[in-house]
Amino acid sequence: MLQDKFRLQIPGPTPVPPRVQQAMAQPMIGHRDPDCSRLVQECSRRLQPVLGAREPVLPLTSSGTSALEAAVVNTVSPGEEAAVVVTGAFGDRFAKILKRYQVQLHRLDLPWGEACPPETLASFLKEHPGVKAVFLTYCETSTGVLNPVEELAATVRQLTDALVIVDGVSCVGAVPAKAEAWGIDILVTGSQKALMLPAGLSFAAVSERAWQVIEKNPQPRFYLDFQAYRNHLEKDTTPFTPAVSLLFGLREVLDMIEEEGLEKVFQRHRLMMKMTREGIKAMGLSPLTSDEAASPTVTAVQGGKSWSPEDLRKELRRLGIRLAGGQQHLKGKIFRIGHMGYHDPLDILAALSAIEIAGVRIGAPVDSGAGIKAAEEEWIQCTEF
Amino acid sequence: MLQDKFRLQIPGPTPVPPRVQQAMAQPMIGHRDPDCSRLVQECSRRLQPVLGAREPVLPLTSSGTSALEAAVVNTVSPGEEAAVVVTGAFGDRFAKILKRYQVQLHRLDLPWGEACPPETLASFLKEHPGVKAVFLTYCETSTGVLNPVEELAATVRQLTDALVIVDGVSCVGAVPAKAEAWGIDILVTGSQKALMLPAGLSFAAVSERAWQVIEKNPQPRFYLDFQAYRNHLEKDTTPFTPAVSLLFGLREVLDMIEEEGLEKVFQRHRLMMKMTREGIKAMGLSPLTSDEAASPTVTAVQGGKSWSPEDLRKELRRLGIRLAGGQQHLKGKIFRIGHMGYHDPLDILAALSAIEIAGVRIGAPVDSGAGIKAAEEEWIQCTEF
């Protein structure tokens, strides 16, 4: 196939827009230079509406997992109790980090592909009244589930004084996130998903209530110490040399989001989700999650008895499109389509076409053309685009 | 002055070469894609000669300080004894991290601007026979001192079984570094100095002896867990999404280093150091360090009674060149010239000229033209270039 032309449609890293690439290629500046201070200040403030943050967002130079770890080491210490809602591989990662730091862990495991109902969390919290923090996953990347974090946060707030900590890595920037309004104490995300950047930056919005816990928490931390980031952000800088080129890119990304309009960005992602799901169903395949639990950023599709998702992905690669496989026990059993960030509805039609072609070729029970038709109809009916 | 034209000559971040900028703008790829595996594998192996590493170098997505912290949390645990040689702000940073993690700290403080003599370390180690690890700084960025880490490492090895841990952030890639041959157990460095990249990647070379300690060390760590990086590197990947765009850039940097030749890179840095130092002296100013203790990557210059380095830097900024000031107690007392990475001897002449012009303008006792003449003579006498 045409060399160097391929469509990256995995749930992150996502494609980087050309103007963001260009912005990142600006001449390097010193990290203590006034130009860099303006850059840090601008990025941390303009991210506030994206996360729904009360105060400027803390920018860490590291990938998403470090922000999960930061949320842990800043808030809980060994022996304290914490609850984790595990709906897939990234809820499980929170659990792994907590366990590594000897936090007394209460795991609420749900079947992979399902979202956590607020009632289930409520019962669970009643059984564990001692928890100091509840760790949630907004979009569970491994299954394409969007957990109802607004309701889950409200449930926690109603029943306990525990902090509400949310991993928003694979959806913030593509779906509404209102950390302060929803009572989320820490919301973290990363650069390489809906924010259309390469990996290397992660972000945290921290509530006043969380700061009170953080200030008293004896758990040692240095590079991931939120207080160091807040103290330096007050002087428009970072405690350690930041990934300046990614900050140049972030400023451009924020321009793009503001030009399109945050609400429109969300609508575009919802349309891409609907087109993907209706297309997949109409061609004869089955999404892993229900419509109600589905994330606007990633869709997982189940494999069948007569065909393997890995064979499908291999064939898709030949056609010029790269999708993701399953993680942990879903490895070989699903494939995942990322539809977040620098993607538009036409990309979805191309992806669905490719899946139809590859599906027929590998002998999957796929009805060629039917998926595209259903997806087009979703778009035709959509009044916003 | 001409807009957007400025010379960044601080001791990091350093300018990014145009071909590296272009390499970083390649279309994004998935972090679990075979293309990314090849990239990770290639970078980690081609870095081996740069660090003198026995095995492929671990690539972390984070800035230099996180690599210092990783060296701490992977090797020592609370209550254990460690020695730190503090020759400036970055030795002090090692001490701060160790203290944060409740390691029993023995600080060997030297006057800022001096290197640590091996005999001084030897006496110090004899007083503290219980230390499990000795933390050293190769180039102390805050003073422009290059510590004799080969001799210091040999001293440690001769006297104790302690691990030798070296911060090479502001010089590796510009000066010889032979981790294995010199008996350095952990050598860390960062992307934004001699390696000519933006900040966002850091690297660690780990010895077999260090792995044995690391494997048994109970200190919890997750994102900075060296074992996770080694285990994944065996499968040509990273445990967490890496900063892929910086890895694209790193591959290009390694091409550049190999094309110039590592030995030539070192010679170029030595010439730039000599030109800088002789120029500074000839124009009537005083380097902070002796010739013997000087680093080929950064030169600190003392302020005078009649003029302030901060005024000089302000004037230099107007002329189109950005130098660094002092850190901690040297703030306002020195200025620092970075001469590492994407700089050539002509850049040094431009910097010296600018310092002469700015110096005369602010009333510093500077002999205009004399610095340039001395620097040119260094170059004329240099047989390699």
Side-chain angles (χ1 to χ4, degrees):
Chain A
M1 196 62 92
L2 178 63
Q3 221 182 332
D4 284 352
K5 171 102 181 170
F6 62 88
R7 290 150 199 269
L8 182 67
Q9 219 154 335
I10 65 173
T14 62
V16 178
R19 61 188 269 198
V20 176
Q21 296 276 29
Q22 257 183 318
M24 290 194 297
Q26 283 168 71
M28 187 48 56
I29 57 175
H31 61 303
R32 299 297 181 220
D33 195 277
D35 288 344
C36 193
S37 292
R38 276 189 288 276
L39 180 65
V40 167
Q41 198 235 41
E42 199 185 313
C43 288
S44 64
R45 294 191 183 192
R46 290 172 72 194
L47 274 172
Q48 279 179 256
V50 179
L51 283 82
R54 194 181 52 90
E55 51 181 38
V57 171
L58 310 179
L60 281 67
T61 290
S62 47
S63 50
T65 296
S66 79
L68 304 193
E69 182 173 356
V72 169
V73 295
N74 280 277
T75 59
V76 286
S77 56
E80 285 191 329
E81 288 179 61
V84 192
V85 176
V86 179
T87 55
F90 287 90
D92 187 55
R93 184 164 291 180
F94 252 147
K96 280 195 179 112
I97 298 170
L98 285 157
K99 219 172 149 189
R100 190 73 63 90
Y101 283 98
Q102 284 142 25
V103 174
Q104 200 184 319
L105 191 62
H106 303 292
R107 258 180 96 115
L108 172 53
D109 275 282
L110 288 113
W112 287 34
E114 291 181 19
C116 179
E119 316 80 70
T120 308
L121 179 59
S123 318
F124 188 75
L125 290 176
K126 283 172 194 157
E127 288 167 36
H128 304 289
V131 302
K132 299 288 180 207
V134 179
F135 292 82
L136 306 171
T137 312
Y138 196 176
C139 172
E140 173 52 64
T141 327
S142 61
T143 62
V145 155
L146 193 78
N147 281 295
V149 291
E150 182 178 1
E151 290 76 14
L152 295 173
T155 304
V156 179
R157 287 293 187 118
Q158 216 173 354
L159 295 173
T160 81
D161 285 331
L163 294 181
V164 180
I165 296 171
V166 175
D167 166 3
V169 171
S170 64
C171 64
V172 166
V175 301
K178 301 186 176 174
E180 193 188 9
W182 295 350
I184 293 171
D185 292 294
I186 298 181
L187 174 63
V188 299
T189 193
S191 54
Q192 79 279 17
K193 308 271 183 175
L195 293 178
M196 306 185 281
L197 286 165
L201 288 176
S202 56
F203 309 102
V206 181
S207 76
E208 193 45 50
R209 226 166 64 114
W211 282 122
Q212 287 169 25
V213 172
I214 291 167
E215 282 158 14
K216 289 182 205 126
N217 180 26
Q219 175 68 34
R221 65 267 185 190
F222 197 87
Y223 191 72
L224 298 180
D225 182 11
F226 281 157
Q227 284 172 283
Y229 289 87
R230 182 174 57 166
N231 294 343
H232 279 77
L233 202 50
E234 280 166 10
K235 294 171 277 177
D236 296 327
T237 185
T238 53
F240 316 110
T241 315
V244 173
S245 64
L246 297 180
L247 289 174
F248 283 142
L250 177 57
R251 179 158 59 188
E252 194 70 24
V253 162
L254 291 164
D255 281 350
M256 288 179 69
I257 289 176
E258 288 166 20
E259 286 163 20
E260 185 177 0
L262 201 47
E263 206 44 62
K264 275 276 177 203
V265 171
F266 301 156
Q267 287 167 357
R268 173 168 52 83
H269 281 86
R270 277 199 297 272
L271 173 60
M272 293 195 295
M273 170 188 72
K274 281 187 196 164
M275 289 172 65
T276 305
R277 294 181 63 79
E278 295 313 315
I280 286 294
K281 290 182 213 165
M283 75 176 73
L285 302 180
S286 305
L288 179 67
T289 67
S290 68
D291 287 349
E292 295 68 37
S295 170
T297 55
V298 50
T299 298
V301 180
Q302 301 183 52
K305 279 178 193 148
S306 63
W307 62 281
S308 133
E310 291 307 295
D311 289 341
L312 185 81
R313 286 175 62 219
K314 220 172 280 169
E315 184 63 28
L316 284 165
R317 203 182 163 86
R318 282 191 55 216
L319 304 183
I321 183 164
R322 294 179 190 179
L323 303 188
Q327 291 176 290
Q328 297 191 17
H329 70 265
L330 290 181
K331 203 164 183 168
K333 297 199 174 141
I334 59 167
F335 67 92
R336 292 176 298 153
I337 310 159
H339 35 79
M340 73 183 115
Y342 192 58
H343 287 295
D344 66 9
L346 286 172
D347 288 329
I348 304 302
L349 293 172
L352 290 169
S353 280
I355 293 168
E356 290 184 347
I357 295 163
V360 171
R361 281 192 177 165
I362 67 157
V366 157
D367 189 0
S368 156
I372 288 300
K373 184 173 165 56
E376 280 183 3
E377 276 164 16
E378 282 298 320
W379 194 353
I380 291 166
Q381 287 160 29
C382 173
T383 53
E384 290 107 0
F385 298 96
Chain B
M1 198 60 91
L2 177 63
Q3 222 182 331
D4 286 352
K5 170 104 181 169
F6 62 88
R7 289 150 200 270
L8 182 67
Q9 220 155 335
I10 65 175
T14 62
V16 177
R19 62 187 269 198
V20 176
Q21 296 277 29
Q22 258 183 317
M24 290 194 297
Q26 283 169 72
M28 186 49 56
I29 56 174
H31 60 304
R32 300 296 180 220
D33 195 277
D35 288 345
C36 194
S37 293
R38 276 188 288 275
L39 180 64
V40 167
Q41 197 236 42
E42 199 184 314
C43 288
S44 63
R45 294 192 183 191
R46 290 172 71 194
L47 275 172
Q48 278 179 258
V50 179
L51 283 83
R54 194 182 51 91
E55 51 181 40
V57 170
L58 309 179
L60 280 65
T61 289
S62 48
S63 51
T65 296
S66 78
L68 304 192
E69 182 173 356
V72 169
V73 295
N74 279 278
T75 59
V76 286
S77 57
E80 283 191 330
E81 288 179 61
V84 192
V85 175
V86 179
T87 55
F90 287 90
D92 188 54
R93 183 163 291 179
F94 252 148
K96 282 195 179 112
I97 298 170
L98 285 156
K99 220 172 150 188
R100 190 72 63 90
Y101 284 99
Q102 286 142 25
V103 174
Q104 200 185 320
L105 191 62
H106 303 292
R107 258 180 95 114
L108 171 54
D109 275 281
L110 287 114
W112 287 34
E114 291 181 19
C116 179
E119 315 81 71
T120 308
L121 178 60
S123 317
F124 188 75
L125 290 177
K126 282 173 195 156
E127 288 167 35
H128 304 288
V131 302
K132 300 286 180 206
V134 179
F135 292 83
L136 305 171
T137 313
Y138 196 175
C139 172
E140 174 50 65
T141 327
S142 62
T143 62
V145 155
L146 193 79
N147 280 295
V149 290
E150 181 178 0
E151 290 77 11
L152 295 173
T155 304
V156 179
R157 288 293 189 117
Q158 215 172 355
L159 296 172
T160 81
D161 284 331
L163 293 182
V164 180
I165 295 171
V166 175
D167 165 4
V169 171
S170 63
C171 64
V172 166
V175 301
K178 301 186 176 173
E180 193 188 8
W182 295 349
I184 293 171
D185 292 295
I186 298 182
L187 174 62
V188 299
T189 193
S191 53
Q192 80 279 17
K193 309 271 185 178
L195 294 177
M196 307 185 280
L197 285 165
L201 289 176
S202 56
F203 308 101
V206 180
S207 75
E208 193 45 50
R209 224 166 67 113
W211 283 122
Q212 287 170 25
V213 172
I214 291 168
E215 282 158 15
K216 288 183 205 125
N217 181 26
Q219 174 68 34
R221 67 266 185 189
F222 198 87
Y223 191 72
L224 299 180
D225 182 10
F226 281 158
Q227 284 171 284
Y229 288 87
R230 183 176 55 166
N231 294 342
H232 279 78
L233 202 50
E234 279 166 11
K235 294 171 277 178
D236 295 328
T237 185
T238 55
F240 316 111
T241 314
V244 173
S245 64
L246 297 181
L247 289 174
F248 283 141
L250 176 57
R251 180 160 57 188
E252 194 70 24
V253 163
L254 291 165
D255 281 350
M256 288 179 70
I257 290 176
E258 288 166 19
E259 287 162 20
E260 185 177 0
L262 201 47
E263 205 44 62
K264 275 277 177 200
V265 171
F266 301 156
Q267 287 168 355
R268 172 168 53 84
H269 282 86
R270 277 199 298 272
L271 173 59
M272 294 195 295
M273 170 187 74
K274 281 187 195 164
M275 288 172 65
T276 304
R277 295 181 62 81
E278 295 313 315
I280 286 295
K281 290 182 211 166
M283 74 175 75
L285 301 180
S286 305
L288 179 67
T289 66
S290 68
D291 288 349
E292 294 68 36
S295 171
T297 56
V298 50
T299 298
V301 181
Q302 301 182 53
K305 278 177 194 148
S306 64
W307 61 281
S308 132
E310 291 308 294
D311 290 340
L312 185 81
R313 284 177 62 219
K314 219 173 282 169
E315 185 62 29
L316 284 166
R317 201 180 164 86
R318 283 191 54 217
L319 304 184
I321 183 164
R322 295 180 189 178
L323 304 189
Q327 290 176 290
Q328 296 190 18
H329 69 266
L330 289 181
K331 202 166 184 165
K333 299 200 173 140
I334 59 167
F335 69 91
R336 291 175 297 152
I337 310 159
H339 36 77
M340 72 182 118
Y342 193 57
H343 287 296
D344 65 10
L346 286 171
D347 288 330
I348 304 303
L349 293 171
L352 290 169
S353 280
I355 293 168
E356 290 183 348
I357 295 162
V360 170
R361 280 191 177 164
I362 67 157
V366 157
D367 188 1
S368 157
I372 288 300
K373 184 174 166 53
E376 280 183 4
E377 277 165 17
E378 282 298 321
W379 194 353
I380 291 165
Q381 288 160 28
C382 174
T383 52
E384 290 106 2
F385 299 96

